[in-house]
């Protein structure tokens, strides 16, 4: 059974940084995407960043230039480095992995692409 466990969330002031980690077990990284999503209260879950096993990355417009996604396949761990955090980045952050093929027309940041999700880690940014 695939398990994803996020860590690294917390409370920071505007302009601060956090590094999220997502440790995977029961899963061997395959030739698919892994991603970070976030959901604020009353809002839809949105894609933040995604990385393919070949290293290709994509980012949501609101985080480009501030967030960096990376992976360590030897450790089965996904990371999200978040710099210059803003109050609007406040949300529950989830990691997700795709283990099955999906339509090639699905965007990498579409939550429909992913079939396993972590439990989330809270990020709160104060002004």
């Amino acid at each position: 059974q695939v398990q994803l466990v996020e860590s690294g969330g917390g409370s920071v002031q505007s302009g601060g940084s956090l590094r999220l980690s997502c440790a995977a077990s029961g899963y061997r990284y395959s030739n698919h995407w892994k991603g970070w999503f976030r959901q604020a209260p009353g809002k839809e879950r949105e894609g933040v960043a995604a990385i393919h096993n070949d290293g290709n990355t994509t980012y949501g417009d609101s985080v480009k230039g501030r967030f960096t996604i990376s992976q360590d396949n030897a450790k089965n761990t996904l990371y999200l480095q978040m710099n210059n955090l803003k109050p609007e980045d406040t949300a529950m952050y989830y990691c997700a992995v795709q283990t099955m093929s999906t339509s090639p027309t699905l965007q990498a940041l579409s939550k429909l692409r992913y079939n396993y999700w972590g439990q989330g880690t809270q990020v709160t940014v104060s002004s």
Side-chain angles (χ1 to χ4, degrees):
Q1 182 71 15
V2 175
Q3 285 192 316
L4 304 174
V5 179
E6 301 97 333
S7 61
S11 297
V12 295
Q13 290 192 326
S14 183
S17 298
L18 284 173
R19 188 193 195 205
L20 305 184
S21 298
C22 173
S25 60
Y27 166 69
R28 182 177 295 277
Y29 280 169
S30 61
N31 194 30
H32 291 307
W33 290 88
K34 298 167 283 292
W36 286 98
F37 291 75
R38 66 187 182 187
Q39 189 166 16
K43 294 190 175 181
E44 293 270 336
R45 188 169 297 191
E46 65 168 341
V48 173
I51 186 167
H52 194 271
N53 202 50
D54 64 9
N56 192 21
T57 59
T58 188
Y59 294 90
D61 289 340
S62 62
V63 305
K64 282 180 183 176
R66 299 188 299 122
F67 291 12
T68 303
I69 189 171
S70 61
Q71 60 188 349
D72 185 334
N73 288 341
K75 295 182 178 180
N76 264 8
T77 302
L78 183 68
Y79 302 99
L80 184 69
Q81 177 66 43
M82 305 185 295
N83 297 327
N84 190 21
L85 283 160
K86 304 175 180 181
E88 50 264 43
D89 294 318
T90 295
M92 186 71 79
Y93 283 70
Y94 301 89
C95 67
V97 299
Q98 173 195 2
T99 63
M100 300 185 299
S101 295
T102 60
S103 168
T105 62
L106 269 180
Q107 298 292 319
L109 289 179
S110 168
K111 54 183 181 287
L112 298 178
R113 175 176 285 276
Y114 299 87
N115 54 318
Y116 285 102
W117 295 81
Q119 83 290 347
T121 185
Q122 178 68 37
V123 171
T124 303
V125 185
S126 58
S127 57

